Amino acid sequence: MKTEFIRARDLPDAWFQCVYNLFDKGYEYTIDRGSFKGQKRLEYDYIVVQITHPGPRPLIPDIPPGCNVPPPTSMEYVEQYLEKLITSRKDIHEAYTYGEDLEKQIDEVIRMYREEGLNTNQAYMAVGNAGSILLQDPQCLRGVDTRVRYGKLHFMLYFRSWDLWAGFPSNLAGLQLLKEYMAKEIGVEDGEIIAASKGLHIYDYCWDVAKTRTGR
């Protein structure tokens, strides 16, 4: 297993570095089970991405004029993702929403820091349960760990599987908005994001546009 570490200043920088380096560091395989079964993924064995200043706008990647590559996401989609993070409301066709697990935990983490102090290792928000293994497509985001240190709220995230091209920028932008809200409620500054995954990947149908965007 190869462990990669990427240090980035902001969210678009993190996305670009991960996409660019994947073509040198990724493992190519055909999917036996899961989304897009039978197609190929290019995937990091394990990666840790530290983003030191995730707050500056824009939160999502921009596409240079003349690049002829469709944007991987939009702020409209990010807002929809954020709603799924913070509310337990679920549409009839949805197997789950992250808000089912996170909604009450968000309030409890804020309360914990405000009323019991900032120096704790217990402000961890879990996603999923023992039944998640039986879902056709289990939750990708599985944990949001938090820490207040140096006067700032930091997020430590874990994704069991993670679509790099479109999921990564959408997910991190939404989680950054959540972190900003929680930091304000706690009364501290906004801090870093450190995200880890053993499944950060790009599907084969995106390889050409990813290479075009990164000049490969």
Side-chain angles (χ1 to χ4, degrees):
M1 294 283 288
K2 297 179 292 184
T3 300
E4 305 297 334
F5 178 79
I6 286 178
R7 182 182 174 92
R9 176 171 176 78
D10 54 32
L11 297 183
D13 179 34
W15 177 80
F16 186 91
Q17 287 196 56
C18 288
V19 174
Y20 184 89
N21 286 291
L22 180 62
F23 290 97
D24 293 326
K25 306 293 182 63
Y27 175 82
E28 181 182 326
Y29 69 100
T30 300
I31 303 163
D32 289 330
R33 175 188 168 121
S35 300
F36 300 97
K37 179 180 177 181
Q39 293 188 249
K40 292 183 178 180
R41 285 191 188 122
L42 189 62
E43 184 172 84
Y44 288 103
D45 284 354
Y46 193 85
I47 190 168
V48 177
V49 184
Q50 180 180 14
I51 307 159
T52 58
H53 297 82
R57 271 51 173 176
L59 296 178
I60 59 176
D62 60 336
I63 301 299
C67 187
N68 199 29
V69 170
T73 189
S74 67
M75 283 307 298
E76 180 181 4
Y77 182 83
V78 169
E79 293 290 345
Q80 294 172 0
Y81 178 77
L82 174 63
E83 184 178 1
K84 297 297 184 182
L85 286 173
I86 62 177
T87 64
S88 57
R89 184 173 61 254
K90 183 170 67 175
D91 294 337
I92 191 169
H93 66 279
E94 292 178 316
Y96 66 86
T97 70
Y98 291 120
E100 287 181 302
D101 295 315
L102 293 177
E103 183 177 34
K104 292 181 179 179
Q105 294 184 84
I106 291 167
D107 292 338
E108 175 58 18
V109 166
I110 292 170
R111 186 209 63 78
M112 189 184 301
Y113 281 128
R114 291 176 63 174
E115 298 181 8
E116 300 187 50
L118 303 179
N119 296 319
T120 179
N121 281 329
Q122 295 186 349
Y124 177 86
M125 298 183 287
V127 176
N129 54 40
S132 297
I133 193 70
L134 302 176
L135 295 174
Q136 183 175 356
D137 289 300
Q139 299 92 330
C140 294
L141 173 66
R142 302 313 295 261
V144 180
D145 207 352
T146 75
R147 159 150 282 162
V148 175
R149 185 155 291 179
Y150 312 117
K152 299 179 180 181
L153 175 66
H154 310 281
F155 270 9
M156 280 62 69
L157 312 171
Y158 182 74
F159 287 82
R160 64 154 188 90
S161 184
W162 204 3
D163 168 37
L164 172 54
W165 180 254
F168 181 104
S170 304
N171 303 152
L172 290 187
L175 286 158
Q176 172 60 23
L177 293 174
L178 172 60
K179 180 160 60 65
E180 291 174 359
Y181 161 75
M182 293 179 67
K184 183 177 180 180
E185 291 295 306
I186 294 165
V188 296
E189 295 181 24
D190 178 57
E192 299 184 13
I193 289 177
I194 302 174
S197 180
K198 65 96 177 71
L200 185 61
H201 61 265
I202 293 181
Y203 294 105
D204 54 2
Y205 64 84
C206 286
W207 291 354
D208 286 343
V209 292
K211 288 178 180 178
T212 298
R213 175 62 185 89
T214 54
R216 301 193 65 109

